[in-house]
Amino acid sequence: MEAVSNLLKELGKHIGLEQLELDDEGQCTLAFDEDIVVTFVADPDGGLNAVSFVGELPESGAESFVKGLLEENFLPSNHGGARFAIEPNSNRVVMVGRWDAQKTDIGLLSSQLEACVNTIDAMQKTMASTKFDEPVAERKSGGDYIPPAGATFA
């Protein structure tokens, strides 16, 4: 866990938060622009995991939207290597990422984390404007076209 702690401390220095560090449970939370909260969690294998809430799915009518999320996961390089998931036992969409603390330098972590945060921001806006009970091709919000499932959200 020392490598994970060091990587997180380097991130803190890089973004001007010298006090950024894991708590006693191996976690740390960082907020970006008030709407995006990323929780970092150390794993026993030397990984730094990041989890962030993206949005809440309705009980029904989101099947085609979820299909689009899964298609986004096919090549997650657009999202800094992170992937979309549904939190177990809920309808909460989250973005999850993992970096090997032994092999990741601060430049890579910083650029990939920025890509993740930008993707989270875009997806939060997409989810907020999506009418889940309409077929994908017909979804509109404020006159703007919402891309079909499989389109890049970032």
Side-chain angles (χ1 to χ4, degrees):
M1 188 153 51
E2 185 176 338
V4 173
S5 294
N6 290 338
L7 184 58
L8 199 57
K9 286 178 185 177
E10 283 296 313
L11 176 63
K13 289 177 187 174
H14 185 74
I15 62 175
L17 293 172
E18 298 287 329
Q19 71 278 14
L20 193 64
E21 62 185 4
L22 297 171
D23 64 15
D24 293 337
E25 295 177 5
Q27 298 184 12
C28 175
T29 301
L30 188 57
F32 298 87
D33 301 326
E34 297 180 25
D35 295 324
I36 299 171
V37 177
V38 178
T39 299
F40 296 98
V41 181
D43 69 32
D45 297 327
L48 177 63
N49 298 283
V51 180
S52 182
F53 173 73
V54 177
E56 188 85 25
L57 292 171
E59 290 295 323
S60 64
E63 292 81 5
S64 60
F65 188 84
V66 171
K67 182 179 183 280
L69 287 176
L70 290 173
E71 289 171 353
E72 283 291 308
N73 285 343
F74 184 72
L75 294 174
S77 58
N78 293 339
H79 316 303
R83 297 178 186 270
F84 293 104
I86 297 176
E87 192 175 80
N89 302 313
S90 77
N91 288 337
R92 294 170 47 100
V93 174
V94 295
M95 180 162 255
V96 295
R98 183 184 188 278
W99 296 272
D100 183 328
Q102 296 287 344
K103 299 177 182 176
T104 305
D105 65 33
I106 189 58
L108 179 63
L109 176 61
S110 178
S111 65
Q112 289 186 336
L113 183 58
E114 181 179 5
C116 290
V117 169
N118 289 338
T119 300
I120 293 164
D121 182 51
M123 185 56 71
Q124 284 178 339
K125 290 174 181 167
T126 298
M127 289 186 75
S129 65
T130 298
K131 296 179 182 177
F132 288 101
D133 56 343
E134 295 178 4
V136 174
E138 298 175 18
R139 289 185 188 152
K140 304 239 181 207
S141 175
D144 296 329
Y145 174 72
I146 295 184
T152 300
F153 293 105

